[in-house]
Amino acid sequence: MSEWSVAEPQKLTFDTEVRELRVRVVNGTVNIVGTDEGPARLEVSEIEGPPLLVTERRGTLTVAYEDLPWKGFLKWLDRKGWNRSAVVTLAVPTGTRVEVGVVGAGAVVSGIRGQATIKGVTGDTTLVGVSGPVQADTVSGNLEAQAVTGTLRFKSVSGDLTVVEGSGPSVRADSVSGSMMVDLDPEGPTEVSLASVSGEIAVRLPHPADAEVEANTASGTISNAFDGLRVHGQWGAHKITGRLGAGTGKLRATTVSGSIALLRRPPRDEESAPWEAETPRDTDTGAGTVPAPADGSTDKKVL
């Protein structure tokens, strides 16, 4: 086993093959890039507070604080221990299995084909071009996934989920108050299951779509851009059901008080600007807002 204590900006290169990466930081930034060129590399460009302990053992590279264990990570609420910061950049083989834990730090993971496990207390995470399975759990941290082609699992108390051009086989998300905005562009059938207590849910499906759909809210509003779906309920609880295309995929969305919007992507040969998920549109009922489609279409049924 090789071990380093990093108390100041430093660069390290690892001659052994890295198959698993574990990173745990408080405040600052973590950048992880998958690459097939050269050995694994680490750069700590900024660091304040206690040193980071870097260890390499039998193909597992760990960059973490000694007093910040992975087990029980989301319950690490020692505020005195938050007085630290580091900016860490790692380049590892694309097939590396990645575990990232952030407390107040931002994390970006790109170009990874191995399994990615994310835990965040308050830090936000961005995934770009990740093709392996993803499991993300946060307290209030947000997750943005761009062009992710593997399975995606997300669980949070109040963190938001944003998926842009998602083409993986499945997306499952659970949140208490976080919003979910999922833009799908799959090559084949996709299973999507989204559940929130009070957060808003917006799903943009390709046109033509191919899915069995069931979406319901107890007291929120519903917006539907597909003529082939049936909307049930005029007052109180609302539900959307039906089949789009052959119905080989599945879409399930459930909220208690949040709104639900089913939007339609333009045909691929007509696509231009990416979906601007942050742009809300007031519904007629005044019970919440839902995102508007980027193509400006208004053929939506709102209840």
Side-chain angles (χ1 to χ4, degrees):
M1 182 179 74
S2 301
E3 184 175 301
W4 300 262
S5 179
V6 179
E8 58 186 21
Q10 188 173 348
K11 295 181 180 180
L12 296 172
T13 300
F14 307 93
D15 296 328
T16 57
E17 181 184 2
V18 173
R19 297 184 298 273
E20 184 169 349
L21 173 64
R22 300 171 179 173
V23 182
R24 301 187 298 275
V25 298
V26 179
N27 298 322
T29 307
V30 177
N31 294 299
I32 300 173
V33 180
T35 178
D36 290 323
E37 299 180 359
R41 303 178 300 277
L42 164 68
E43 179 180 0
V44 180
S45 55
E46 298 178 21
I47 185 167
E48 297 180 3
L52 284 167
L53 183 62
V54 180
T55 60
E56 189 284 319
R57 181 180 182 182
R58 297 178 181 177
T60 298
L61 177 62
T62 302
V63 182
Y65 291 108
E66 194 170 10
D67 62 345
L68 183 57
W70 181 256
K71 185 177 181 180
F73 184 87
L74 297 180
K75 298 180 180 179
W76 196 77
L77 299 175
D78 180 10
R79 292 286 176 175
K80 294 181 180 179
W82 286 32
N83 189 24
R84 61 185 78 178
S85 177
V87 177
V88 177
T89 301
L90 289 129
V92 295
T94 56
T96 302
R97 178 179 176 179
V98 174
E99 291 183 353
V100 181
V102 289
V103 180
V108 179
V109 180
S110 62
I112 293 295
R113 296 197 309 265
Q115 179 177 340
T117 303
I118 316 296
K119 292 185 179 180
V121 177
T122 57
D124 297 340
T125 300
T126 300
L127 307 175
V128 181
V130 174
S131 56
V134 175
Q135 174 69 56
D137 297 275
T138 76
V139 177
S140 60
N142 302 323
L143 176 68
E144 180 176 340
Q146 302 178 13
V148 169
T149 59
T151 60
L152 175 61
R153 304 288 183 270
F154 176 71
K155 187 176 182 180
S156 180
V157 178
S158 59
D160 296 337
L161 170 67
T162 303
V163 177
V164 180
E165 296 181 351
S167 59
S170 67
V171 177
R172 293 182 179 273
D174 293 276
S175 180
V176 177
S177 59
S179 296
M180 302 175 189
M181 301 184 182
V182 179
D183 174 38
L184 299 174
D185 190 18
E187 296 294 335
T190 298
E191 292 192 10
V192 180
S193 178
L194 310 174
S196 180
V197 177
S198 59
E200 298 179 351
I201 296 177
V203 182
R204 194 166 81 155
L205 299 171
H207 180 67
D210 181 13
E212 286 280 355
V213 177
E214 182 178 334
N216 58 79
T217 175
S219 60
T221 60
I222 276 185
S223 176
N224 171 38
F226 295 91
D227 293 334
L229 299 178
R230 298 181 299 276
V231 179
H232 310 269
Q234 295 295 327
W235 306 101
H238 295 140
K239 178 183 289 189
I240 300 176
T241 61
R243 173 182 294 180
L244 298 173
T248 55
K250 292 182 179 180
L251 169 61
R252 300 288 183 270
T254 304
T255 75
V256 177
S257 59
S259 63
I260 296 178
L262 299 186
L263 309 177
R264 183 176 59 192
R265 291 177 63 96
R268 292 184 179 181
D269 57 356
E270 297 179 10
E271 289 186 24
S272 53
W275 182 37
E276 297 179 357
E278 70 276 11
T279 304
R281 172 177 297 177
D282 291 335
T283 64
D284 294 341
T285 61
T289 59
V290 296
D295 60 356
S297 63
T298 58
D299 55 339
K300 299 190 300 176
K301 300 179 178 63
V302 181
L303 289 179

